[in-house]
Structure formats: structure tokens, C-alpha cells
């Protein structure tokens, strides 16, 4: 690796590094899909029994399975790419909070589709992803399991919302209060840190 030339600014140059383009692409694509998932999930559950309700569920389950596939690729990509270090003045508790909350976000991005898949299997509902590909059942139909899995899916959804409020709050705090580059390096824009 090229050593830093003596003219480099005294700030931690690596802390200014952005996330790679593929990590940013996955982050924002999956974020948009997950926000749509909450809207579709709650709309579908609340809708009166009609073809629209069924279509809302097909969209919800299809996009959910797409998220599962994208997150699998995203995780591999994430492990293969360097992580830009946090600004040098970040306290230890914040570093730990960032590490653990990001890990938990990944767990939820996988657990939500999996529990949804279990609900769908246990409810014995035949379903084709985007009206095309039949989704194999993970388990045999069982009404009680379907009810428990739906409860778990719902509870994990609430935990996900709470964690996202923290995550987005932390990003905004970095940008507007601490005035560092943590948000801009995920947006792919640049900020001159004083
Ligand atoms: C990141 C992915 C997902 C998110 C964030 C998500 C979120 C939600 C939310 C917020 C609800 C409404 C919960 C309620 O009010 O009871 C819901 C319901 C539901 N979701 Fe998902 N979901 C995801 C993936 C999936 C997948 C992949 C499937 C199936 C293949 C699925 C199947 C269902 C079903 C069947 C319900 C209705 C449960 C019930 O009858 O109470 N979800 N989902
Ligand atoms: C469903 C929505 C979201 C999910 C699941 C999510 C998940 C994640 C994860 C797992 C990371 C760690 C980086 C990685 O491993 O890819 C991350 C980083 C980040 N996210 Fe999100 N995110 C979401 C929405 C948002 C939103 C709406 C914002 C901004 C308002 C945001 C701002 C950031 C920032 C600034 C980072 C970089 C943190 C750092 O530099 O260490 N995220 N996000």
C-alpha cells in the first residue's frame, strides 16, 4: 500500500473514506424495500378480504423474499470489503453501539423474511413469488404454528422499527450535531469536516 505523503492533512485520512459503491447501493436499495415492506405488511393485514388484499400480500411476500436474497449477497459483499473507521473522537460506547446495532439490523433483515416464510408455510397458502415462482413450504401446515409465527413476525417487526428509529436518529445526530462525515460517506456525497 502507498504510504501517506507528508503533505496529507493531520486528520485521520482513513476516517474520511467512504463506503464502497456496492455497499452504498445495497444499503439504500434494501432500506427502500424494507420501508415498503412495513407499509405493505400493515396494509395487507388491515385490508378487507378482497383481491386487493391478496395482491398486497403477494407484493409483501415477494419483496420480502427479494430482500432475503439481496441481504445474503449484501452480507458476502460486506465481509469482503473494508469498513471505513469511525471518526477518531468517537467514544468506545458509541463504537460498540454501532457494531452491535448494525449486527442486529442484519439479524432482523434475515429473521423477518424467514419468520414470514414460516407463517406462509404453516398457513398452507400456495404462493408464487411475483406471481411466477412457487415458494416451497418450510414446514407442514399447522394452524397453531402459523399463529405463533405470525406473532413472532409482528414482534420482530416492532423491534425492527425501534432499532431503525435509533439507527436513523444516530445518523442524523452525526450529521447535524457532531457534524462529521458518517452520514455523507454512506450517501456517497462529501462533507468537509472542520
Ligand atoms: C424484511 C422483510 C419483511 C418485513 C419488514 C415484514 C413486515 C411485516 C409486517 C410489519 C407485517 C404486519 C404485522 C401485523 O400487523 O400483524 C407483516 C405481516 C405478514 N408478513 Fe411480513 N415482513 C417481511 C417479510 C415477509 C415474507 C418474506 C413473508 C412470506 C413469504 C411475509 C409474510 C407475512 C404474512 C403472512 C403476514 C401476515 C401475518 C398475520 O396474519 O398476522 N413477510 N409483515
Ligand atoms: C431499513 C432501513 C435501514 C437498514 C436495514 C439499515 C442498515 C444498516 C447497516 C446494517 C449498516 C452498517 C453498514 C453495513 O454493514 O452495510 C448501516 C449503516 C449506515 N446507515 Fe443504515 N439502514 C437503514 C436505513 C438508514 C437510513 C434511513 C439512514 C439515514 C437517515 C441510514 C444511515 C446509515 C449510515 C450513515 C450508516 C453508516 C454508519 C457508519 O459509517 O458506520 N440508514 N445501515
Amino acid at each position: 500500500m502507498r504510504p501517506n505523503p507528508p503533505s496529507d492533512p493531520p486528520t485521520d485520512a482513513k476516517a474520511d473514506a467512504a463506503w464502497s459503491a456496492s455497499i452504498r447501493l445495497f444499503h439504500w436499495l434494501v432500506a427502500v424495500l424494507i420501508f415498503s415492506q412495513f407499509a405493505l405488511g400493515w396494509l395487507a393485514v388491515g385490508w378487507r378480504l378482497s383481491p386487493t388484499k391478496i395482491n398486497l400480500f403477494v407484493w409483501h411476500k415477494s419483496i420480502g423474499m427479494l430482500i432475503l436474497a439481496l441481504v445474503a449477497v449484501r452480507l458476502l459483499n460486506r465481509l469482503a470489503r473494508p469498513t471505513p473507521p469511525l471518526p477518531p473522537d468517537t467514544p468506545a460506547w458509541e463504537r460498540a453501539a454501532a457494531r452491535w446495532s448494525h449486527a442486529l439490523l442484519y439479524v432482523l433483515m434475515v429473521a423477518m423474511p424467514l419468520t414470514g416464510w414460516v407463517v406462509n408455510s404453516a398457513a398452507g397458502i400456495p404462493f408464487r413469488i411475483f406471481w411466477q415462482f412457487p415458494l416451497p413450504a418450510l414446514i407442514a401446515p399447522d394452524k397453531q404454528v402459523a399463529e405463533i409465527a405470525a406473532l413472532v413476525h409482528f414482534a420482530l417487526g416492532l423491534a425492527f422499527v425501534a432499532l431503525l428509529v435509533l439507527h436513523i436518529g444516530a445518523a442524523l445526530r452525526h450529521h447535524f450535531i457532531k457534524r462529521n462525515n458518517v452520514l455523507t460517506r454512506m450517501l456517497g456525497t462529501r462533507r468537509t469536516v472542520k
Side-chain angles (χ1 to χ4, degrees):
M1 208 174 73
R2 180 183 70 91
N4 287 345
S7 58
D8 268 8
T11 50
D12 184 342
K14 278 199 290 176
D16 201 32
W19 290 90
S20 72
S22 56
I23 286 195
R24 284 185 273 122
L25 179 71
F26 275 122
H27 179 273
W28 295 112
L29 176 63
V30 172
V32 168
L33 292 177
I34 286 177
F35 289 134
S36 337
Q37 271 307 84
F38 281 103
L40 285 167
W42 273 311
L43 266 177
V45 168
W47 210 271
R48 66 186 160 78
L49 197 57
S50 63
T52 306
K53 184 181 181 89
I54 293 165
N55 285 337
L56 284 169
F57 264 122
V58 175
W59 279 110
H60 177 77
K61 296 175 193 174
S62 304
I63 294 175
M65 294 310 292
L66 177 63
I67 291 172
L68 185 61
L70 283 173
V71 170
V73 184
R74 175 179 175 179
L75 259 175
L76 293 178
N77 180 57
R78 172 70 167 75
L79 297 173
R81 300 262 166 189
T83 309
L86 285 165
D89 63 347
T90 309
W93 73 266
E94 248 183 62
R95 292 176 188 274
R99 205 170 31 248
W100 281 100
S101 60
H102 292 165
L104 208 52
L105 283 168
Y106 274 113
V107 169
L108 287 168
M109 284 190 276
V110 173
M112 284 306 293
L114 285 184
T115 50
W117 192 350
V118 173
V119 182
N120 196 71
S121 313
I125 306 169
F127 153 68
R128 286 175 175 265
I129 303 174
F130 293 113
W131 292 268
Q132 304 298 318
F133 320 102
L135 181 69
L138 287 177
I139 52 167
D142 183 323
K143 195 164 174 281
Q144 215 178 350
V145 174
E147 278 169 13
I148 295 168
L151 204 65
V152 174
H153 192 64
F154 171 68
L156 288 180
L158 291 186
F160 207 169
V161 170
L163 194 57
L164 282 175
V165 169
L166 278 178
H167 181 68
I168 295 166
L172 297 178
R173 173 172 169 262
H174 277 290
H175 192 72
F176 291 108
I177 298 175
K178 299 188 89 182
R179 304 189 69 78
N180 58 29
N181 61 3
V182 166
L183 177 58
T184 49
R185 72 188 191 174
M186 185 49 99
L187 287 168
T189 55
R190 274 191 102 68
R191 149 177 245 163
T192 315
V193 184
K194 280 188 253 137

